[in-house]
Amino acid sequence: MRMLQIHSDGFSYEAKRKALKNAEEVKEKSYNTEDSCLVNFIAAETTDAKNVNAAIKATSEMIANAADEVKEKNIIVYPWVHLTESPSKPSVALKLLKGVEKDLKERGFKVVRVPFGWYKAFRLHCKGHPLAERSKVLDISKEIAKTADVDVTEGEDLTALVAEEKSTSEFFIMDPSGKMTPVKEFKYAKHKELELYVNYETAKDRTAQEPPPHIELMRQLELVDYEPGSDAGNFRWPPRGLTLKKAVEERVTAEMVDYGAHVVQTPLIYDYQHPSLKSYLQRFPSRQYVVRSGDKDYFARFSACFGQFLLISQALVTYKQLPLKLFEIAPSYRREQSGELAGMRRPRAFTMPDIHEIVADVEMAKTAVNNQLVFVTKLMNELEVTYEVSFRILRSFFDENKEFVEGVVAKVGKPVMLELFDERYAYFIFKGEWNVVDEQKKAACLGTIQIDVENGERFNITYVDAEGKEQHPLILHTSPSGSIERILYGVLEQAYKDLKTGKVPHLPLWMTPVQVRLVPVNESFIDYCVSLGKSLDKAGIRYEIDDRQQTLGKKIRSAEKLWIPYICVVGEKEKESGKLAVRRRELKDQVVMSEKELVKEINNKTSFAPKQRLLLPKMISLQPIFSREV
RNA sequence: GCCUCGGUGGCUUAGGGGUUAUAGCGUCUGCUUCGUAAGCAGGAUGUCGCGGGUUCGAAUCCCGCCCGGGGCUCCA
């Protein structure tokens, strides 16, 4: 439904002649008032046909709200098909308009409905105040997901939401030996965070007074910040944060290349009308950004699935190439409800490392899960956060593959939460989640492994089997690390937990934007620092030089506030001895070491990560302050 | 999206229907040239989130909007 609302001084119309054969029969062909009124030009759209009653309810609600805002009691309901490019059938439109008329009258408004299906002359006079001209759009697919009195008998409209309500689940803890205990009976004494995680997932205890601590930290460390000039939940990354972001992206990409992935890049926006996408989208409530181009609507992707599925569905794949892996660092968009947004835990725009592994059958899928487990565990450990693991499994799959699940849990090596659900509510039959629990006792999922039994067929993805026949594969959806934003959320919340327990908060050395800061005692040693920096450059170590004219104490403080792990004071002693006075954050000590030793120490600790350059000038005097304190 | 709380120089913040809006940090200038978490002095920086209303007068009260936090919901 699309609607144009004009708050008018006076209104009149005159029905001239029928525009449709089945135009409404009317007694009064004209109407005239000089009273003020709210004129609503309304176009019913094809989507409204899915649930006319919900459309009526929502439309009259919009009109009533608008009328209340401008303190208007007189309502004109005017059929105006030209507002939309996809009008509904006339019968639907008439039903909508009549329903709106009835509903508004019941609400106590004085309503005049202008005849449907006629060519009409009309006159109005817009009042011209700020609320006098407005347009409204109703997306009825959203309402269908919400409203109870919907007929969901047409299979295509069955949403995941509705299916999930029907599905029943049981929750267990499975320990590495395979022993299963209902979550309420498990002894959590040695597994406090698992208890918090289970509480969050089952009891849904979600009260918090304070804002999540990572939000203040991400700004103080100048990693990422809100962008008031964008949509809510879209963030900007100043160079320090971008350095970290790229370091993580490169790290995950390297691991995926080692795993044998084909690295690709696919478009950000997709056609609503594409047949495969259409049926995929209909499984879910609409949470997409819409992009209008020309006269068509596109949606911004909410994961890399579409692009990769479309790419591989048009590729020639043989069984010899399976398992086949496609990987992408996928900037993605989900238009979460405004009240759901929370810093880096839940943004609307995020960067998702996403791998899809195409396998022939369940056996190959199980092998793939075991292989993927290795890198997910490795990457999660590299984040230096504590995490809890859970598996959500279709009960029939679990019953048939109990040994496999036990093997997986044994590999995880600690008790995990197990959810068994009776009815499949999404595309997966098996889903592993690696979650962090934050200071607010809320959980968020980072890494995930899912076995998808639906989309191979939906996207017509095929491979040629040994007999030369085309087969639909199963697909594993996996984010090895979770989104970069969630990772940052995880490491900052972990740092805050450390801070509260008396430990030194830190970012993992391999991803921290600046690994070394050289601090000359006065400006006469800046040149020497520059020459020291040349060998750090060669070693691929990220550093900067505090060339500001400030006291040493202040420069140290400045570096500490940014959690820089190695702070090197450079003065006469260092220049003469060729050694460095190094203040190590992790060990809270001060040691004298040669530059070579320092490089060796850092390289040993970060050997697994690709070298990422620092994405800003090294001289601090040249760096503007984006959001850090000093 | 609904409910709720908030928005005062770049940051943190005082104040609150009535003269030129408070302070600290940062920034700039000068002095200081310093050895491991804040050297000294002086200067500049505010459409008090935006728009409308009430009022002789609004940062302050009212309404709408934007942005953020929390709750509900949601998390493909």
Side-chain angles (χ1 to χ4, degrees), chain A residues 89-145:
Chain A
K89 288 183 294 185
S91 59
V92 172
L94 187 56
K95 193 177 169 193
L96 175 83
L97 294 160
K98 284 184 169 172
V100 168
E101 177 190 16
K102 182 164 172 270
D103 192 301
L104 288 169
K105 278 181 174 163
E106 281 165 10
R107 288 167 187 259
F109 291 101
K110 191 183 158 221
V111 186
V112 171
R113 187 170 60 78
V114 177
F116 181 83
W118 291 74
Y119 291 112
K120 296 169 288 277
F122 72 86
R123 174 187 62 81
L124 50 71
H125 181 263
C126 181
K127 284 174 179 283
H129 63 75
L131 295 180
E133 310 168 50
R134 290 195 281 187
S135 68
K136 299 277 166 65
V137 178
L138 172 68
D139 179 357
I140 198 67
S141 58
K142 250 192 217 166
E143 303 300 318
I144 285 176

Side-chain angles (χ1 to χ4, degrees), chain A residues 393-622:
Chain A
I393 305 171
L394 182 66
R395 193 182 293 273
S396 59
F397 178 82
F398 176 76
D399 290 342
E400 286 161 31
N401 299 282
K402 203 160 176 233
E403 273 180 33
F404 156 72
V405 175
E406 285 167 0
V408 165
V409 175
K411 276 199 180 147
V412 171
K414 60 179 186 173
V416 306
M417 189 187 85
L418 201 60
E419 177 186 358
L420 300 180
F421 54 91
D422 292 324
E423 218 167 308
R424 188 157 63 79
Y425 56 89
Y427 54 73
F428 58 82
I429 54 170
F430 172 98
K431 182 187 194 188
E433 292 180 0
W434 279 254
N435 302 278
V436 295
V437 181
D438 66 23
E439 177 59 23
Q440 299 179 321
K441 305 196 183 354
K442 296 192 186 202
C445 172
L446 271 73
T448 178
I449 301 177
Q450 304 163 9
I451 302 178
D452 172 355
V453 294
E454 210 174 87
N455 286 308
E457 205 170 329
R458 188 196 304 281
F459 283 82
N460 198 28
I461 299 167
T462 57
Y463 67 92
V464 181
D465 70 11
E467 276 85 50
K469 285 187 200 147
E470 287 200 339
Q471 301 284 354
H472 291 303
L474 300 182
I475 302 167
L476 278 83
H477 294 234
T478 299
S479 185
S481 62
S483 77
I484 313 300
E485 290 75 8
R486 278 272 169 90
I487 289 174
L488 183 54
Y489 151 79
V491 299
L492 289 178
E493 290 288 335
Q494 180 67 46
Y496 188 79
K497 281 191 248 175
D498 288 346
L499 187 67
K500 283 199 65 172
T501 52
K503 290 184 221 154
V504 189
H506 78 290
L507 297 169
L509 182 61
W510 63 273
M511 69 165 80
T512 200
V514 174
Q515 295 163 320
V516 175
R517 190 176 272 194
L518 300 175
V519 182
V521 294
N522 66 48
E523 75 236 46
S524 66
F525 296 99
I526 293 174
D527 286 347
Y528 181 58
C529 285
V530 171
S531 69
L532 288 170
K534 294 223 167 92
S535 28
L536 293 177
D537 275 331
K538 254 185 219 159
I541 286 171
R542 297 186 292 270
Y543 68 96
E544 55 194 355
I545 299 171
D546 196 342
D547 60 331
R548 292 175 296 189
Q549 312 252 321
Q550 265 165 347
T551 58
L552 184 65
K554 207 159 187 179
K555 289 196 246 191
I556 299 288
R557 179 180 140 83
S558 160
E560 291 285 3
K561 291 212 85 159
L562 288 172
W563 301 358
I564 293 170
Y566 293 92
I567 302 167
C568 304
V569 173
V570 177
E572 195 55 47
K573 278 189 263 175
E574 287 70 30
K575 196 171 178 180
E576 267 178 24
S577 67
K579 299 256 180 180
L580 290 169
V582 185
R583 186 177 163 116
R584 294 189 291 195
R585 182 173 183 82
E586 186 191 4
L587 300 168
K588 295 194 216 176
D589 65 0
Q590 262 179 58
V591 290
V592 174
M593 56 168 85
S594 68
E595 191 176 22
K596 230 179 171 178
E597 287 167 325
L598 176 67
V599 166
K600 203 175 152 195
E601 181 168 325
I602 295 173
N603 279 345
N604 280 345
K605 289 182 176 183
T606 60
S607 56
F608 55 85
K611 301 294 181 200
Q612 171 63 48
R613 297 191 62 181
L614 180 62
L615 303 174
L616 76 168
K618 294 177 176 69
M619 293 300 182
I620 305 215
S621 66
L622 298 178

Side-chain angles (χ1 to χ4, degrees), chain A residues 306-352:
Chain A
F306 322 101
Q308 294 188 8
F309 290 171
L310 293 171
L311 174 67
I312 204 63
S313 70
Q314 293 182 304
L316 180 62
V317 180
T318 81
Y319 72 98
K320 294 176 187 172
Q321 290 149 1
L322 302 187
L324 188 144
K325 303 137 186 175
L326 295 175
F327 175 72
E328 180 166 8
I329 298 282
S332 304
Y333 295 84
R334 295 184 187 177
R335 201 184 175 288
E336 311 290 6
Q337 297 180 82
S338 55
E340 294 164 358
L341 302 173
M344 292 281 100
R345 191 205 291 139
R346 278 264 267 174
R348 278 184 179 164
F350 56 97
T351 314
M352 183 68 104

